[in-house]
Amino acid sequence: MDDMMFEVGTALILVAIASVIAGKLKFSIIPFLIVLGMLVGPHAPTIGILDFKFIDSQGVIDFLGQIGILFLLFYLGLEFSVQKLVKSGRNIVTGGTIYVTLNFVLGLAYGFLVQMPLYETLIIAGMLSVSSTAIVAKVLVDLRRTGNAETELILGMILFDDIFLAVFLSVMSGLLLGGTASIGATILSVGISIGYMLLFFVIARKGPPILNKLLRITSNEIFIIVVFSTMIFIAGFSEKLHVAEAIGALLFGLALSETEHSERIEQLVVPFRDFFGAIFFFSFGLSIDPLSLGNAFWLAIGAVILTIIGNLIAGMIAGRKAGLSHKSSLNIGLTIMARGEFTIIVANLGVAGGLSVLIKPFSALYVLVLAILGPLLTKESKRIYRGVNRIFKWSEPVEKGKKKHSGVREVSEVSEDSKIKLDQ
Amino acid sequence: MSFIRESELPGIGKKFLIQTRSGDKLAVIIHNDGRREMYHFEDDNPEETLSQISLDDDEARQIAAIVGGMVYKPKELETIEVSLQDLIIEWIRVEPHYHGADKSIEELEIRKRTGASILAIVNRHHQKINPGPEQILSVGSTLVLAGERQQIRQFKELLIGKQTGEPDQS
């Protein structure tokens, strides 16, 4: 028992160190923690007396990571409200639909192309369609793009994407976790999933008066105990119904999103989400055998290329439809490309449903590449725009600059570049 | 009129896009964690920022107060507000060491002894317009006075108390 605590503590210290390094490099912690997990996982070689394999404590770490998923999705549920989406306007719904449809169809096509069975194909299509809310929001803040014109559209599209994720996970968990082979039983379990989801939508719609009263708890201590316990209970209960536990947490968040307490809960959840979320990425890394990555290498690279193309096209269409400039539209595709937590969650569902062993290393590589490449491409969007512009000859700003005062433009361009260098 | 557009940034916070009368375009982002960011865009190219600033919650509040004119007020404005021929409307804050602090209007016999009239007593929490004789001139409240110059001066002497030796403004 003593050893257990020490092992978990050591693991957490490693997580902390990786987070600090990621922070210093101004990078998302997600890829760092996954790689760290792979490096110290049960598959890693022992180096001298240093044995970081965390075999005894793996159960505990996995469990903490699962709690991390619950918090991630609970927060997601709290954040997205249908009202918010309706308020944010038609551009977002159009953009989001284009984005999700294009990527999902590309994913399906890819799955069939590489001759995956149906369920695996669906899971791959799902993985390709869901962007990483955590990485995108972080990149926007870090690169100081929150004031840009395209930012609302990007975040709105992600919100839309998240709703797609909720529906997708519900349906897939019905398909995969029902544990039956007959068509009738499968339809039944999908029906249960969807019905379960609708139930929470109804609660979110009709429930707030009652929930408001129930949650009118002054003490933060009791409030947090009530909310978190209920969340974990609902997650566990959902699993009993063969609905993924993550969905339970998400739906519970959704039910609370329209109450007057939603902001208070959000504030309380964030630290837990961040802490347990970090453990989740780490434990995901732990579960991956680096040697198995080779098998999925080409599969993942193909998916990465497809995602880059799909995102650029979807971003351009969405941006241009919303009346943004070519440059802003390009930014949309580049920013929204990052993949992270939700892709892993989709993959985990596939693994839980007993699908192909390739899913896990595939998701690891796919997420790793795009969690690193996405933010990098976003950062270099200016240079990419200049390159792409040479081919398509869109740009008005450059012509305008030439006409008006090319000297000034030159200077500002140079100073922009040097600023980026200073950042690094 | 300047133009302000408010929009939601899900997961980040709120964004305010401000177009000023002079043609400046400014974006203010209030993050959920309390941080504020401001971006000032180029006039002829709304995609390039001229400058940007990141503030913590307390810094943002301080700057808001400075911009809003709450911290620095020109000296003149502090006392004399309006003067209509002989009638002067002026305000004064009741400091704790004043002779008249925490006394009622009746107790000080203001109207009888000075001729000045208290139009309003303004507190941080509430304001009393046209106060009755039983009203207390509580410490920290601001009195809005009306009267002729002489009457106002007498009122101040009465309120402050001659023994405190506050230099007379006029």
Side-chain angles (χ1 to χ4, degrees):
Chain A
M1 206 56 207
D2 286 345
D3 265 6
M4 173 83 86
M5 191 52 85
F6 182 65
E7 272 196 19
V8 174
T10 313
L12 288 177
I13 283 294
L14 289 173
V15 167
I17 292 170
S19 309
V20 170
I21 294 173
K24 282 254 186 285
L25 297 173
K26 286 199 151 240
F27 227 84
S28 165
I29 59 171
I30 294 174
F32 278 79
L33 292 176
I34 297 174
V35 170
L36 174 74
M38 290 198 301
L39 289 180
V40 301
H43 317 284
T46 311
I47 309 157
I49 53 161
L50 292 172
D51 186 357
F52 286 136
K53 286 176 187 166
F54 302 115
I55 291 167
D56 295 336
S57 55
Q58 195 169 10
V60 179
I61 293 172
D62 277 351
F63 180 73
L64 295 178
Q66 269 180 303
I67 301 276
I69 300 183
L70 298 188
F71 277 114
L72 275 166
L73 285 175
F74 179 56
Y75 184 81
L76 181 64
L78 279 173
E79 264 287 311
F80 81 58
S81 73
V82 179
Q83 276 175 354
K84 256 187 205 169
L85 194 73
V86 171
K87 234 186 3 196
S88 44
R90 205 163 37 111
N91 284 334
I92 285 171
V93 178
T94 323
T97 315
I98 293 167
Y99 182 76
V100 169
T101 315
L102 183 66
N103 282 295
F104 194 74
V105 169
L106 278 178
L108 284 181
Y110 187 61
F112 287 126
L113 189 77
V114 296
Q115 292 170 342
M116 282 279 175
L118 177 66
Y119 284 171
E120 277 83 349
T121 300
L122 282 172
I123 285 286
I124 287 177
M127 286 168 57
L128 263 60
S129 315
V130 287
S131 189
S132 165
T133 306
I135 296 181
V136 171
K138 185 175 163 42
V139 165
L140 285 173
V141 172
D142 285 354
L143 293 181
R144 294 172 168 257
R145 297 238 174 119
T146 46
N148 285 15
E150 72 274 8
T151 300
E152 280 114 319
L153 188 54
I154 292 177
L155 290 169
M157 283 167 72
I158 288 201
L159 195 68
F160 188 90
D161 198 30
D162 292 343
I163 294 177
F164 164 77
L165 174 76
V167 177
F168 177 80
L169 281 181
S170 297
V171 175
M172 286 311 288
S173 74
L175 279 179
L176 295 175
L177 304 181
T180 40
S182 81
I183 293 174
T186 305
I187 291 173
L188 181 72
S189 73
V190 173
I192 290 175
S193 279
I194 295 174
Y196 193 60
M197 191 172 68
L198 288 178
L199 173 75
F200 278 92
F201 270 107
V202 171
I203 295 175
R205 197 104 194 101
K206 305 277 179 203
I210 302 165
L211 290 170
N212 280 341
K213 211 174 282 173
L214 286 175
L215 288 173
R216 217 160 277 155
I217 300 169
T218 327
S219 153
N220 262 351
E221 182 190 16
I222 299 171
F223 186 75
I224 207 169
I225 294 173
V226 168
V227 172
F228 287 4
S229 309
T230 315
M231 177 194 77
I232 294 176
F233 173 77
I234 289 183
F237 177 74
S238 308
E239 214 185 10
K240 284 271 161 224
L241 285 179
H242 301 301
V243 176
E245 49 186 18
I247 284 292
L250 180 115
L251 292 174
F252 182 54
L254 191 86
L256 296 180
S257 67
E258 304 285 350
T259 66
E260 61 192 31
H261 304 283
S262 63
E263 265 180 38
R264 185 178 175 199
I265 303 173
E266 268 178 37
Q267 279 169 1
L268 291 173
V269 170
V270 168
F272 288 87
R273 179 201 65 178
D274 292 346
F275 180 72
F276 290 104
I279 302 176
F280 161 58
F281 297 119
F282 176 69
S283 73
F284 175 70
L286 277 185
S287 70
I288 288 166
D289 178 1
L291 297 177
S292 73
L293 292 180
N295 304 331
F297 182 78
W298 290 112
L299 197 62
I301 295 303
V304 166
I305 293 169
L306 215 59
T307 305
I308 292 176
I309 296 170
N311 276 267
L312 288 178
I313 295 172
M316 285 312 298
I317 298 174
R320 292 302 288 165
K321 267 201 181 292
L324 293 171
S325 69
H326 286 103
K327 194 175 178 184
S328 294
S329 306
L330 186 76
N331 276 349
I332 295 175
L334 290 172
T335 309
I336 209 165
M337 197 180 282
R339 293 290 180 270
E341 66 279 21
F342 298 135
T343 298
I344 300 177
I345 288 170
V346 171
N348 274 353
L349 181 64
V351 173
L355 299 185
S356 159
V357 287
L358 266 182
I359 293 283
K360 200 139 209 177
F362 169 76
S363 65
L365 269 177
Y366 177 70
V367 167
L368 271 179
V369 173
L370 282 174
I372 295 170
L373 201 60
L376 277 181
L377 290 177
T378 313
K379 195 172 185 174
E380 297 301 331
S381 60
K382 237 174 213 155
R383 231 166 274 176
I384 296 169
Y385 176 72
R386 250 177 271 157
V388 179
N389 198 26
R390 246 171 247 146
I391 308 168
F392 288 98
K393 313 255 182 257
W394 293 318
S395 163
E396 320 92 51
V398 174
E399 285 166 25
K400 196 171 156 192
K402 267 181 198 159
K403 256 184 254 161
K404 272 196 170 170
H405 38 228
S406 56
V408 177
R409 268 220 71 82
E410 282 293 314
V411 171
S412 74
E413 288 278 311
V414 170
S415 67
E416 268 302 318
D417 280 350
S418 57
K419 201 160 37 186
I420 288 169
K421 265 170 213 148
L422 279 177
D423 277 352
Q424 291 162 339
Chain B
M1 188 55 204
S2 57
F3 153 95
I4 300 177
R5 206 185 72 209
E6 184 186 331
S7 55
E8 193 93 32
L9 298 182
I12 292 182
K14 261 198 190 304
K15 173 177 173 181
F16 296 85
L17 193 66
I18 300 149
Q19 193 97 47
T20 66
R21 279 192 209 107
S22 57
D24 283 314
K25 189 183 155 202
L26 181 73
V28 178
I29 287 92
I30 305 186
H31 289 254
N32 287 337
D33 60 11
R35 213 147 34 92
R36 319 282 208 283
E37 276 179 303
M38 296 200 280
Y39 299 91
H40 183 194
F41 293 91
E42 279 179 20
D43 284 353
D44 55 346
N45 182 3
E47 289 183 10
E48 294 294 331
T49 47
L50 276 173
S51 70
Q52 51 200 22
I53 182 166
S54 243
L55 304 166
D56 286 339
D57 185 55
D58 55 333
E59 292 169 326
R61 282 169 195 281
Q62 263 177 322
I63 287 170
I66 292 170
V67 174
M70 280 166 256
V71 173
Y72 170 75
K73 232 187 273 173
K75 190 72 188 163
E76 255 93 331
L77 285 180
E78 220 163 77
T79 49
I80 296 176
E81 170 72 335
V82 203
S83 156
L84 305 160
Q85 297 195 332
D86 285 345
L87 176 72
I88 292 173
I89 296 173
E90 200 172 292
W91 60 63
I92 182 167
R93 215 176 104 95
V94 182
E95 302 291 351
H97 58 83
Y98 285 0
H99 162 72
D102 284 325
K103 291 192 174 130
S104 73
I105 292 177
E106 198 172 19
E107 230 177 310
L108 289 168
E109 299 181 297
I110 288 165
R111 185 71 69 78
K112 204 169 112 197
R113 287 168 68 175
T114 70
S117 191
I118 298 181
L119 297 180
I121 301 176
V122 184
N123 256 332
R124 225 147 58 98
H125 305 296
H126 59 90
Q127 54 183 38
K128 180 77 189 162
I129 294 165
N130 203 4
E134 75 290 347
Q135 285 292 321
I136 305 285
L137 309 183
S138 52
V139 169
S141 55
T142 299
L143 312 178
V144 183
L145 312 168
E148 287 170 23
R149 192 173 295 278
Q150 180 66 19
Q151 293 170 334
I152 299 275
R153 186 187 301 148
Q154 276 174 351
F155 174 83
K156 280 193 187 163
E157 281 169 4
L158 176 65
L159 177 69
I160 296 167
K162 279 176 199 144
Q163 67 274 26
T164 57
E166 281 262 330
D168 200 328
Q169 299 235 357
S170 56

